[in-house]
Amino acid sequence: MKIQSLLPIKEVGSHYNPTILISRIRHMSQVAQRKILLVEDDEVTALLLSSYLEGRGLTVEHEIRGDAAVKRIISTQPDAVVLDCNLPGKDGFEVCREVRTRYLSPIIMVTGRINEVDHVLGLELGADDYLPKPAQPAVVFAHLMALLRRSNAAEPDSSETDAGPEYRFGQFRIDRSTRSVYLGDDEIQFTTAEFDLLWQLASHAGEVLSRDTIMMHMRGLEYGGFDRSIDMRISRLRKRLGDDTNNPHRIKTVRAKGYLFSPSAWN
């Protein structure tokens, strides 16, 4: 990768800020190490998106069939998957469902299926994000980078360090440094987005977090009132943590306000 070609002209000439230059080079080096698997059967769409992502330093591999994608995701463990729904072999929903227990990195579904039922289904099956087609390559890249930054547990940012590496409430334990969650002696597996949401809730135990606050933390976007992704992830957290989904007491819904992680409900 040619570092100079990706930098603004004023920063590669005779007058530049060395600190900015070093920071940019480090960032681009980290991006270049990221491997993305694009699962898309439309050759034109795949070429356009691959070219854009590779132009920003990502390594992109392409798969056409859903059944082949399942094997490839599990065996190669890419840093993230961009997944279409309408695929030969297996559709995107089947792919997501089959790999989720053995693949915990981000999955973004980019699909022409724009109705709410499909959106909710994709999130319930473990997708971290859901973008409708036609999705501009710049938008896909922005969502990818947001998810990749959050999944980089080896390099926690200052806010993570300040929050502390671990929380314990009764038999519940969540460890930021290892991205692990235990309920008693049992370790529970979560996707990147699910873990980040659970960490956010646990680090504010006893406080009500609004959907807007959660959405800003997860995606850097305000809650629009129609996005069901937060509700779906909360539902999956409850199921995996043995909470009563009809009358939850561990992760409570506070009507018209948001969600509350109860610190006294884990004994």
Side-chain angles (χ1 to χ4, degrees), residues 139-191:
V139 174
V140 177
F141 176 73
H143 282 250
L144 262 176
M145 294 311 297
L147 288 171
L148 289 170
R149 282 194 297 269
R150 289 198 295 272
S151 69
N152 188 7
E155 296 180 329
D157 60 29
S158 58
S159 63
E160 294 171 353
T161 303
D162 294 341
E166 173 181 298
Y167 287 100
R168 293 174 182 261
F169 303 98
Q171 296 192 32
F172 173 87
R173 176 166 64 89
I174 182 168
D175 190 319
R176 185 79 194 223
S177 61
T178 60
R179 297 186 74 83
S180 57
V181 178
Y182 288 88
L183 195 56
D185 294 327
D186 298 323
E187 183 175 6
I188 305 173
Q189 298 293 328
F190 292 98
T191 68

Side-chain angles (χ1 to χ4, degrees), residues 168-172 202 205-207 249-252 260-267:
R168 293 174 182 261
F169 303 98
Q171 296 192 32
F172 173 87
E207 302 177 27
H249 62 284
R250 290 178 166 173
I251 301 177
K252 298 180 179 180
L260 180 145
F261 181 99
S262 176
S264 59
W266 304 92
N267 296 320

